[in-house]
Amino acid sequence: MSLYATVVTAMWVMLPAYVPNNAAVLAGGGAPIDGGRTLNGKRVLGDGKTYRGTLFGVLAGFAVAAALDVLQLDATGLLGVSVPWFPFEAMVALPAGAMLGDILASFVKRRTGRERGASFPLLDQLDFVVVALALTALVDPAWFGRYFTLDVLLAILVLTPLLHLATNGIAYQLGLKDEPW
Ligand code: CTP
Ligand code: K
Ligand code: MG
């Protein structure tokens, strides 16, 4: 695959996992998932992980995957790259895995003494990617193997932190997010 095709495939296939974090920021507020409970004196997850944000994030990622499926044939012609078509399993696993990864990262942050909103370089930028990929590989290994080739995985690992920092920086500038990470 050319570098162009690799990058286009990587971004297309990851969009349903990229959108949930940003959608959750817009929908945040409401009851925290941990119900305010603590573990060794620290919140289990913290007020930054809510039912509303999680549900909205997963639904937004699902909707994006569905929309991309509608555009798939046109995009393939327009971009000159045979972009992936998302099966139902991937439409759920990519956004649900992304939200789960973000939640697990907050668990790790609280256990390591970081307050809500504190940054944890690399974990912040890759938590959602790792779990989104793992869950997708679990529910549809054949589809995963077809599109997540080694070059695509490498492009995802390099481009995701940059994209994540850029979108969060924009959300911070717009006043939607409290911190730029
Ligand atoms: N959010 C949410 N539910 C989620 C994830 C995010 O409601 N599952 C919302 C919250 O309003 C959160 C905001 O999106 O404050 C930003 O998300 P994030 O940066 O992941 O949370 P933080 O507040 O920074 O908390 P943490 O330190 O636990 O990451
Ligand atoms: K986060
Ligand atoms: Mg944060």
Side-chain angles (χ1 to χ4, degrees), residues 9-173:
T9 303
M11 293 301 100
W12 186 277
V13 83
M14 286 307 282
L15 259 176
Y18 287 157
V19 166
N21 284 292
N22 301 300
V25 173
L26 298 178
I33 296 171
D34 67 9
R37 276 181 286 273
T38 58
L39 195 65
N40 296 327
K42 298 277 179 195
R43 287 287 294 275
V44 176
L45 300 172
D47 284 331
K49 305 297 117 152
T50 68
Y51 284 112
R52 203 164 81 192
T54 307
L55 188 71
F56 191 71
V58 174
L59 288 178
F62 183 88
V64 164
L68 290 180
D69 273 357
V70 173
L71 298 172
Q72 193 241 359
L73 277 182
D74 286 332
T76 293
L78 211 67
L79 299 169
V81 177
S82 165
V83 290
W85 184 86
F86 298 95
F88 180 76
E89 289 84 344
M91 289 169 78
V92 176
L94 285 166
M99 287 280 82
L100 183 62
D102 181 56
I103 289 169
L104 290 174
S106 289
F107 182 82
V108 171
K109 287 197 220 172
R110 301 301 91 84
R111 304 288 73 73
T112 53
R114 289 170 171 81
E115 299 297 335
R116 173 188 179 184
S119 81
F120 197 145
L122 282 181
L123 185 72
D124 276 329
Q125 287 80 41
L126 288 171
D127 52 14
F128 63 104
V129 178
V130 173
V131 181
L133 294 183
L135 199 63
T136 306
L138 198 74
V139 298
D140 198 338
W143 185 81
F144 182 88
R146 177 161 168 215
Y147 289 108
F148 290 92
T149 49
L150 217 55
D151 53 346
V152 168
L153 286 171
L154 200 65
I156 291 169
L157 282 185
V158 172
L159 294 176
T160 302
L162 301 176
L163 267 174
H164 191 249
L165 286 170
T167 52
N168 282 342
I170 291 168
Y172 174 71
Q173 292 297 337

